[in-house]
mmCIF file of all heavy atoms in Angstrom:
data_model
loop_
_atom_site.group_PDB
_atom_site.id
_atom_site.type_symbol
_atom_site.label_atom_id
_atom_site.label_comp_id
_atom_site.label_asym_id
_atom_site.label_seq_id
_atom_site.Cartn_x
_atom_site.Cartn_y
_atom_site.Cartn_z
ATOM 1 N N LEU A 1215 -24.247 -6.053 2.121
ATOM 2 C CA LEU A 1215 -23.136 -5.501 2.879
ATOM 3 C C LEU A 1215 -23.653 -4.341 3.712
ATOM 4 O O LEU A 1215 -24.334 -3.458 3.197
ATOM 5 C CB LEU A 1215 -22.025 -5.020 1.937
ATOM 6 C CG LEU A 1215 -21.310 -6.106 1.147
ATOM 7 C CD1 LEU A 1215 -20.329 -5.460 0.179
ATOM 8 C CD2 LEU A 1215 -20.564 -7.031 2.074
ATOM 9 N N ILE A 1263 8.278 13.451 -0.387
ATOM 10 C CA ILE A 1263 9.470 12.628 -0.593
ATOM 11 C C ILE A 1263 9.484 12.170 -2.053
ATOM 12 O O ILE A 1263 8.451 12.217 -2.723
ATOM 13 C CB ILE A 1263 9.506 11.394 0.351
ATOM 14 C CG1 ILE A 1263 8.303 10.485 0.136
ATOM 15 C CG2 ILE A 1263 9.625 11.816 1.799
ATOM 16 C CD1 ILE A 1263 8.369 9.172 0.886
ATOM 17 N N GLU A 1301 1.849 -0.033 4.021
ATOM 18 C CA GLU A 1301 1.230 -1.150 4.732
ATOM 19 C C GLU A 1301 -0.284 -1.051 4.624
ATOM 20 O O GLU A 1301 -0.857 0.024 4.793
ATOM 21 C CB GLU A 1301 1.663 -1.069 6.189
ATOM 22 C CG GLU A 1301 1.288 -2.223 7.032
ATOM 23 C CD GLU A 1301 1.885 -2.089 8.439
ATOM 24 O OE1 GLU A 1301 2.913 -1.419 8.614
ATOM 25 O OE2 GLU A 1301 1.283 -2.665 9.347
#
Side-chain angles (χ1 to χ4, degrees):
L1215 293 175
I1263 60 172
E1301 188 175 334

